[in-house]
Amino acid sequence: MGSAMKFISWKALGLLLVLPLAAWAANPALAGRWRLDPKRSTALDGWTAWDLVVSLEGTRVDLRHDMQWRTTKLTATNAVDTAKPTTLPDFFRVEQRHMALYAVRGTLTPVRAEWLDSERTLRVEATPQIESSQGTGPMRIYQELRLIEGDQELLLIELHSTRGKPLVYRFTKVTGEK
């Protein structure tokens, strides 16, 4: 191998070592529409249906929550970036309707996201400012979105600093719908 090829090989290896792992492409199996399986999930207080729509673009991951309660519909998106921390003006929390924990108006929520398990798990950590009857303060939220069962099921595990038990939601991939 010539000296020019050795230089290129070392340069390529150096680039691989310098690039952050978050810059690698996300697992495309996570993208798409996922429908909640309520029988195998934590009770969805305040809602009767939930579709989670995941969109991937580079290091950005959009988590769109299509929620329904009878005829009332709500759509909210949490856009996270696996390459850098972000802040969101309206971080959506599924349980926020019935917990009497309200986001403090005008505050931004710090959010970090990263890929785990060879891009089969997306970890999201958020710290929204919450107002309750006891006052205001940060709420820590830890989420893992895990691909399981041949990429046709998605498991969402949420831990909240305001709850003693995790929230566990199972979704099934929706095909043929947008």
Side-chain angles (χ1 to χ4, degrees), residues 32-153:
R33 180 174 290 274
W34 299 88
R35 184 150 298 142
L36 181 72
D37 181 345
K39 291 180 181 175
R40 299 184 329 154
S41 299
T42 298
L44 196 58
D45 296 334
W47 302 104
T48 53
W50 177 13
D51 278 6
L52 179 62
V53 182
V54 180
S55 302
L56 307 171
E57 187 176 322
T59 60
R60 181 182 163 135
V61 181
D62 286 348
L63 303 168
R64 188 178 88 206
H65 304 271
D66 291 344
M67 310 298 296
Q68 185 170 349
W69 178 75
R70 297 183 185 174
T71 59
T72 302
K73 294 183 178 184
L74 172 86
T75 295
T77 302
N78 291 335
V80 301
D81 193 322
T82 58
K84 63 181 186 261
T86 58
T87 55
L88 300 177
D90 297 308
F91 185 83
F92 179 73
R93 302 181 338 266
V94 173
E95 92 312 333
Q96 66 194 15
R97 277 187 75 179
H98 284 301
M99 288 298 297
L101 299 171
Y102 306 101
V104 176
R105 290 183 190 265
T107 61
L108 296 174
T109 299
V111 180
R112 293 182 318 208
E114 76 173 304
W115 293 107
L116 306 172
D117 309 325
S118 301
E119 289 77 39
R120 296 197 51 78
T121 300
L122 176 66
R123 177 174 63 196
V124 178
E125 296 179 56
T127 315
Q129 288 294 313
I130 300 298
E131 184 176 357
S132 71
S133 60
Q134 288 82 28
T136 60
M139 172 188 200
R140 288 178 290 100
I141 300 172
Y142 177 91
Q143 300 174 327
E144 282 193 8
L145 292 94
R146 297 178 184 174
L147 284 167
I148 56 174
E149 304 299 326
D151 297 342
Q152 295 305 301
E153 290 192 22

